[in-house]
């Protein structure tokens, strides 16, 4: 089989764990990203990934509120 390195893209965009969600949304829109890696603030240690689906899921209750 082919190694994942043959398919992956480099130049991963990261944000710190304490980044503001609205700033992440702006970044995702500007860069046309579907997900952003979240790193521990001040390091390159991966803490997780936030995707547009995570953001939409969090926004749904606010959009549905009357």
């Amino acid at each position: 089989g082919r190694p994942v390195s043959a398919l992956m893209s480099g130049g991963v965009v990261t944000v710190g764990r304490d980044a503001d969600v609205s700033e992440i949304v702006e970044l995702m829109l500007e860069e046309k990203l579907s997900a952003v890696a979240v790193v521990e603030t001040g390091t390159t240690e991966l803490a997780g990934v936030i995707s547009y689906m995570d953001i939409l899921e969090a926004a749904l209750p606010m959009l549905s509120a009357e």
Side-chain angles (χ1 to χ4, degrees), residues 16-33:
R17 184 184 272 272
D18 60 349
D20 187 86
V21 175
S22 63
E23 292 173 9
I24 296 171
V25 170
E26 288 177 15
L27 175 65
M28 293 172 86
L29 290 170
E30 288 170 9
E31 301 295 327
K32 296 180 176 40
L33 302 170

Side-chain angles (χ1 to χ4, degrees), residues 24 28 33-38 49-57:
I24 296 171
M28 293 172 86
L33 302 170
S34 59
V36 177
V38 179
V49 175
I50 185 164
S51 71
Y52 77 94
M53 293 297 294
D54 296 324
I55 294 168
L56 287 173
E57 194 173 290

